[in-house]
Amino acid sequence: MKLMKQLNWLAPLAGALAVSIGVQSIPAQAQTGPITDRVKARGELICGVNNQLPGFGNIDENGNYVGFDIDICRAVAAALFGDPDKIQYVYLTAANRQSAMQSGEVDIMSRNTTWTLTRDREWAVTFGPTTYYDGQGFMVKKELGVEELEDLDGATICVIAGTTTELNLADTFRARGIAFTPVTFDGDDSSYNAYDEGRCDAITSDQSALISRRATLQNPDDHVILGDVISKEPLGPLVSQGDESFSDIMNWTVYALFYAEERGITSANVEEFLNSEDPDILRFLGQDGNLGEVLGLEPDWTVNVIKAVGNYGEIFDRHLTPLGVARGLNQPYTQGGIQYAPPFR
């Protein structure tokens, strides 16, 4: 009888333990939020982009949006719908991108935008993984003989208004006691056209943008990009706050691009990897486990992403390498860079 009482006392504890074990063993199910539901119901992704920055985001001779940032949008569409073309692009300027995010005009933005604390909070957005680590630089005409920032004392400098670039310029020149006159514009085209016409002595922007736009100037060889880099510019996609399921889809889509490059999985060989004996790769490609279900996506969502745009390295080589942009920090961590994907499990 005494033994029975002891067993009865232990029963609730054992039950609780069993429930606990059971909860841990049941796969998490996707709980979608308002943005995810809205996008899926619409059947296409609305992506805010740039159309004035060759290599990152511009319109080609056939009227199609192309570029590194565009492919990030295409990757997310492929993850959601299995089709990278289910996208509506919306051109955003530096000035209207905040309101576009806050009003819900776009679902996601992939437009050379720097991740900062104030944007994170005041724009009420969630930044995804950094897809391009950049830094702010300066371009000048060679004939001016400028070799360092101090040589720009008294110069006029073209800059896009409302950007971290404008703020960094003011902070750096004030800290170093360099006098200058900013000449502000609302977009890349107007800013670089003014510089090319000689309306300012120098132009400042992210180094990648300077490399990209130098090729569009009337005489590219007449211009030099200085070695001074005055800021950190982590660029990447972002979504509005309030739907963690949607930000998770953005995050893990980008991580899938990183991981595919780490493992040598490309758009050309992804089918071969479906027969891999490596459990990590089988789980990543949806041949084992339920990672797609956890995100509310199809089991083979990563396969769709890689088939559509390739891995991160393929995207970089397709759009930025031809411009002469070096990988630098944007190498995988296995090759000396800082691009890194958390485990897919």
Side-chain angles (χ1 to χ4, degrees):
M1 190 64 178
K2 183 177 181 180
L3 177 60
M4 287 298 293
K5 288 183 177 180
Q6 289 175 333
L7 290 175
N8 289 338
W9 178 80
L10 287 172
L13 179 61
L17 181 60
V19 169
S20 176
I21 293 173
V23 167
Q24 291 177 1
S25 64
I26 295 173
Q29 302 296 308
Q31 298 294 322
T32 58
I35 301 176
T36 306
D37 293 343
R38 180 183 72 202
V39 172
K40 287 188 173 181
R42 186 193 305 126
E44 67 176 3
L45 181 70
I46 300 179
C47 190
V49 298
N50 197 341
N51 66 13
Q52 301 180 2
L53 197 58
F56 284 89
N58 66 293
I59 299 175
D60 68 10
E61 61 277 11
N62 298 316
N64 299 315
Y65 275 91
V66 295
F68 179 91
D69 288 337
I70 305 301
D71 274 353
I72 300 300
C73 296
R74 288 168 49 79
V76 176
L80 283 163
F81 304 114
D83 184 345
D85 295 324
K86 289 193 173 182
I87 292 186
Q88 178 186 151
Y89 296 105
V90 175
Y91 166 60
L92 300 178
T93 67
N96 70 8
R97 53 189 167 175
Q98 178 180 358
S99 60
M101 293 300 302
Q102 292 175 328
S103 67
E105 179 184 358
V106 299
D107 304 314
I108 183 171
M109 182 165 69
S110 181
R111 184 207 176 282
N112 57 298
T113 298
T114 302
W115 184 357
T116 70
L117 185 153
T118 51
R119 285 176 176 167
D120 205 333
R121 294 298 302 163
E122 294 176 357
W123 291 16
V125 296
T126 297
F127 279 85
T130 297
T131 51
Y132 189 90
Y133 290 96
D134 210 339
Q136 182 175 339
F138 294 80
M139 181 161 61
V140 299
K141 292 181 176 64
K142 288 180 179 177
E143 64 185 18
L144 296 180
V146 173
E147 296 182 352
E148 58 184 7
L149 290 189
E150 279 69 16
D151 295 335
L152 289 173
D153 191 35
T156 53
I157 300 178
C158 286
V159 61
I160 298 176
T163 61
T164 55
T165 307
E166 183 182 23
L167 301 175
N168 295 333
L169 171 65
D171 288 349
T172 300
F173 275 51
R174 182 176 61 184
R176 295 168 69 160
I178 306 171
F180 77 104
T181 301
V183 184
T184 59
F185 300 88
D186 63 1
D188 291 283
D189 281 352
S190 55
S191 179
Y192 282 90
N193 288 341
Y195 167 73
D196 207 16
E197 293 167 358
R199 294 164 56 190
C200 44
D201 301 312
I203 187 166
T204 183
S205 186
D206 294 343
Q207 282 200 313
S208 60
L210 295 175
I211 294 171
S212 165
R213 292 301 301 234
R214 181 169 62 176
T216 69
L217 300 177
Q218 295 181 48
N219 298 295
D221 292 340
D222 291 347
H223 306 267
V224 61
I225 298 173
L226 302 182
D228 298 81
V229 177
I230 66 170
S231 70
K232 295 185 292 185
E233 304 292 335
L235 311 178
L238 53 148
V239 298
S240 295
Q241 293 175 358
D243 184 351
E244 293 183 358
S245 65
F246 194 61
S247 57
D248 282 344
I249 290 171
M250 169 187 67
N251 292 341
W252 286 98
T253 298
V254 174
Y255 289 139
L257 300 174
F258 294 162
Y259 187 72
E261 183 175 26
E262 289 175 25
R263 302 307 301 264
I265 304 172
T266 70
S267 55
N269 66 19
V270 62
E271 290 282 355
E272 300 171 20
F273 276 91
L274 297 179
N275 299 316
S276 171
E277 295 183 357
D278 185 326
D280 283 341
I281 290 178
L282 291 177
R283 186 166 50 246
F284 172 65
L285 296 177
Q287 303 304 296
D288 190 17
N290 69 330
L291 297 184
E293 181 184 1
V294 170
L295 287 171
L297 302 174
E298 295 297 321
D300 60 349
W301 66 281
T302 53
V303 178
N304 293 330
V305 169
I306 298 165
K307 282 183 176 178
V309 301
N311 64 36
Y312 178 86
E314 289 180 273
I315 297 173
F316 196 103
D317 289 340
R318 185 162 54 244
H319 299 295
L320 303 183
T321 300
L323 297 175
V325 179
R327 286 292 296 266
L329 295 175
N330 298 295
Q331 294 272 12
Y333 79 104
T334 52
Q335 299 177 32
I338 56 176
Q339 297 290 19
Y340 185 101
F344 277 78
R345 67 165 55 249

